Amino acid sequence: MRIGVDLGGHKIAAGVVEKGKVVNQAWEPTPRSRKPEETTEAIERLVKSLKVKSTKSVGIGLPGMLSLDRRSVVRLTNLPRWENFPMAEILEKRLSLPVALDNDGNCAALGEMESGEAVGMKDFVMMTLGTGIGGAIVSGGRLIRGHRGLAGEIGHVALLHRTPCNCGGIGHGETLFSADTFDLRCSEKGVPSVPELWDRRNDEEHRNFWNRSLEGLACVMISAIHLLDPEAIVLAGGLSNLPELVQELKPFLDERLATAFRPMPPLKISSLGKDGPVIGAASLTSTP
């Protein structure tokens, strides 16, 4: 049995994985501060709550950019003060176990390859739609990591606007389509939740907002298709479950897709749900 952990901006999930399935799990909200000290304590607490004595290591998926050796955080876009945080070393001391880290988009892709929508696929793009937009690229059956280990940051495709992104750049895709962006809109307009905001997408007050958000996401997807020529794009994360999301995206995608790339590769919604990144994180370890 293996243990995987998925750290998100709103929730931390930990699970025991056996034969590609989560057989026992625990979760709690991400600490309100989102700071490394409190968040690391929460991860330790969750892993210990699973009470698995036979595991020999823990895999953790993180929402951001990691060092090439996967031992330290470079930057977690939507979590503050994590720069150069030696997370693997700290958690190994706390848990007395080896700890393997990777980007949460990579973990989601590994989970889909093990027991989800990407079983048998050799070339696909993973997009996780949540607090931000995470991503991963699989080519020839292998994750593409890049020169510094930062490849796959699809949410940071640059578009023609100047909205500041939490990563330190401007005009990135996830500034238009993310849970944090939608939460802010809810607060500004007095809407109780993101699903209700989505349900009101055709109201005059919200139509332009949602059209811009969908257009931004579509531009990110089209860029990935033109660059990588994938067999499919697999979508996961809480926002991927917005009703009729794929249908609403279609007009924005169709008009931008180069004719040589038609028909459009399928957009597949993960069947693993919240378990996918946990399954993938657990697969980072070699523990049987």
Side-chain angles (χ1 to χ4, degrees):
M1 290 188 289
R2 303 168 293 170
I3 290 180
V5 178
D6 177 37
L7 169 61
H10 293 82
K11 184 178 78 171
I12 307 170
V16 180
V17 177
E18 188 173 10
K19 296 181 180 179
K21 293 184 178 181
V22 177
V23 296
N24 185 23
Q25 59 186 314
W27 72 274
E28 63 178 75
T30 303
R32 187 176 296 272
S33 72
R34 296 183 176 177
K35 293 179 182 177
E37 295 80 7
E38 294 177 43
T39 305
T40 303
E41 289 176 4
I43 292 172
E44 176 191 7
R45 191 162 54 244
L46 283 170
V47 170
K48 289 181 176 179
S49 76
L50 295 172
K51 298 180 180 179
V52 179
K53 296 181 179 180
S54 59
T55 192
K56 296 181 181 178
S57 55
V58 177
I60 302 174
L62 302 167
M65 306 162 193
L66 307 178
S67 59
L68 183 60
D69 65 4
R70 293 311 199 244
R71 296 289 295 167
S72 300
V73 172
V74 173
R75 184 175 185 133
L76 301 187
T77 306
N78 296 300
L79 280 71
R81 304 180 189 176
W82 282 77
E83 288 79 3
N84 303 312
F85 183 67
M87 188 171 186
E89 179 183 350
I90 288 173
L91 273 172
E92 284 175 346
K93 290 178 180 178
R94 288 180 175 273
L95 296 171
S96 299
L97 289 169
V99 171
L101 307 178
D102 210 333
N103 171 270
D104 60 350
N106 287 342
C107 290
L110 291 170
E112 295 298 328
M113 292 172 73
E114 182 167 342
S115 55
E117 294 298 319
V119 171
M121 282 192 194
K122 298 295 184 182
D123 297 273
F124 71 96
V125 172
M126 186 81 219
M127 294 182 68
T128 57
L129 309 179
T131 304
I133 298 177
I137 301 163
V138 174
S139 179
R142 299 180 64 183
L143 283 168
I144 301 299
R145 298 195 178 278
H147 173 63
R148 290 180 290 183
L150 303 178
E153 289 291 343
I154 293 169
H156 300 285
V157 168
L159 306 177
L160 289 175
H161 64 89
R162 298 191 64 82
T163 304
C165 182
N166 288 334
C167 72
I170 62 169
H172 295 175
E174 74 170 39
T175 65
L176 298 180
F177 197 99
S178 68
D180 278 358
T181 297
F182 301 154
D183 284 343
L184 179 60
R185 176 76 176 185
C186 288
S187 297
E188 291 173 345
K189 297 297 181 180
V191 179
S193 68
V194 173
E196 185 161 341
L197 183 69
W198 174 254
D199 288 342
R200 300 183 193 181
R201 63 189 178 278
N202 291 317
D203 292 359
E204 185 175 354
E205 181 180 15
H206 303 296
R207 189 181 302 123
N208 286 340
F209 170 82
W210 277 114
N211 282 346
R212 189 166 186 258
S213 297
L214 290 165
E215 184 176 30
L217 181 59
C219 286
V220 171
M221 290 179 171
I222 290 295
S223 295
I225 292 167
H226 288 167
L227 284 169
L228 301 166
D229 189 22
E231 181 179 350
I233 295 178
V234 182
L235 304 178
L239 295 178
S240 70
N241 296 313
L242 292 173
E244 301 179 345
L245 175 63
V246 172
Q247 295 92 315
E248 294 284 1
L249 279 167
K250 192 175 187 302
F252 297 98
L253 293 166
D254 287 347
E255 65 184 4
R256 288 170 173 79
L257 188 65
T259 55
F261 289 83
R262 299 176 185 176
M264 170 97 182
L267 303 182
K268 294 178 171 285
I269 306 297
S270 172
S271 57
L272 298 177
K274 59 184 175 54
D275 289 345
V278 174
I279 294 169
S283 76
L284 297 174
T285 73
S286 58
T287 305

